[in-house]
Amino acid sequence: SRLFRIAIDGPAASGKSTTAKLVARRLNFGYIDSGAMYRAVTLKCLENGIDPTQKNNDAKVAKLASEASIRFPRLGSVELDGRDVSSLIRSSEIVRAIAPVAANPSVRATLAQQQRDLASGATESGLSSESQPKGVVMDGRDIGTVILPDAELKVYIIADARIRAQRRFDELMAKQGTAPGESVDDIARDLAARDLADQTRKISPLKKAEDAVVLDTSNCTIEEQVDSIERLVHSRM
Ligand code: C5P
């Protein structure tokens, strides 16, 4: 039987992946982090000495993407060519080089195919949920618009820019145990630049799907976000 597909899109640091992961855990669905796939391809480029920000490297970036094996062996963990890269892909070096990777049409075509296969259960080993999930949650920028245009549920998560920057700052603080090197203002500037790049690229820009439910998380807890999505799922299942 067909999987129930939840597409979650929205700007950077809006809480998509945290929410998506918790929804997947509660419903025992698989979770596919499409952003992690772009990050993993970027990592593969940098590790092979290919700088994606150099325009004449587009073909090399596309080739590396087509050779990359990306899997989600457990909820929230990412494997690149058989190696766990879950924390490596979260660095600022990756963020600095990712825009041209995400704007590369061949890279997008390669990853789109893999994302659709994962969402249809065609490549079951890639799913992070335990045994035979009834559905999948996929988060990113173009999931509801391009990757799964007929998803059973589409959610577009937004949050005030200042609040997103503060949340990212707190997250870094919690991870490092000390105040991060960047200020909330620095982070806000980086997020704004990344959102602009994502919204204005020619191919698959970040955009709300017409039939997506908008969830503004500026003033709600993670728990409340997860609850609203769970209710939406049950009302459509
Ligand atoms: O979601 P995350 O912040 O990990 O995504 C990293 C980057 O990957 C985004 O800023 C965007 O450029 C790209 N991306 C994309 N399409 C997706 C998911 C992520 O272009 N579906």
Side-chain angles (χ1 to χ4, degrees):
S1 65
R2 222 160 188 285
L3 297 172
F4 187 99
R5 295 156 305 166
I6 309 175
I8 301 184
D9 294 297
S14 53
K16 295 185 302 291
S17 57
T18 310
T19 307
K21 225 179 286 171
L22 289 171
V23 168
R25 183 170 299 148
R26 251 199 229 173
L27 299 171
N28 194 32
F29 279 17
Y31 168 51
I32 303 151
D33 180 349
S34 72
M37 299 173 83
Y38 289 93
R39 287 171 184 267
V41 170
T42 307
L43 177 67
K44 188 169 170 101
C45 292
L46 297 179
E47 288 185 334
N48 282 275
I50 304 298
D51 179 359
T53 63
Q54 219 96 73
K55 189 69 192 151
N56 55 4
N57 278 338
D58 284 358
K60 285 182 185 148
V61 170
K63 182 163 186 290
L64 285 174
S66 71
E67 293 164 358
S69 157
I70 302 166
R71 293 182 61 249
F72 298 99
R74 284 176 310 283
L75 191 61
S77 79
V78 192
E79 248 179 43
L80 169 66
D81 300 329
R83 179 171 58 117
D84 189 306
V85 295
S86 314
S87 34
L88 272 181
I89 59 168
R90 302 288 154 198
S91 75
S92 50
E93 286 74 39
I94 298 293
V95 169
R96 221 169 289 136
I98 204 167
V101 175
N104 187 309
S106 322
V107 172
R108 296 206 78 89
T110 299
L111 295 186
Q113 184 59 52
Q114 295 180 11
Q115 289 157 6
R116 291 188 184 117
D117 286 348
L118 286 165
S120 70
T123 49
E124 278 174 88
S125 63
L127 287 180
S128 38
S129 164
E130 311 284 311
S131 65
Q132 309 254 308
K134 289 197 175 61
V136 290
V137 188
M138 194 183 313
D139 75 339
R141 303 294 185 290
D142 62 339
I143 310 307
T145 51
V146 175
I147 303 300
L148 305 175
D150 56 350
E152 280 67 28
L153 173 64
K154 299 180 187 178
V155 181
Y156 194 75
I157 299 193
I158 55 170
D160 178 80
R162 190 77 203 165
I163 291 176
R164 288 190 278 130
Q166 184 68 51
R167 283 181 187 159
R168 185 48 58 88
F169 181 89
D170 295 344
E171 211 175 87
L172 287 169
M173 179 103 132
K175 216 190 289 171
Q176 304 167 358
T178 82
E182 325 158 83
S183 67
V184 177
D185 281 337
D186 294 337
I187 295 175
R189 212 172 308 119
D190 288 351
L191 291 179
R194 192 140 65 96
D195 290 344
L196 187 68
D198 284 335
Q199 285 160 344
T200 56
R201 67 165 173 251
K202 280 199 211 89
I203 176 165
S204 300
L206 167 65
K207 204 172 77 179
K208 183 185 98 63
E210 259 175 51
D211 52 349
V213 178
V214 177
L215 198 60
D216 186 339
T217 69
S218 302
N219 298 302
C220 63
T221 65
I222 293 282
E223 191 77 359
E224 290 168 334
Q225 289 162 220
V226 176
D227 286 345
S228 349
I229 296 180
E230 200 178 0
R231 271 195 299 275
L232 287 164
V233 171
H234 287 308
S235 73
R236 292 178 190 208
M237 236 175 161

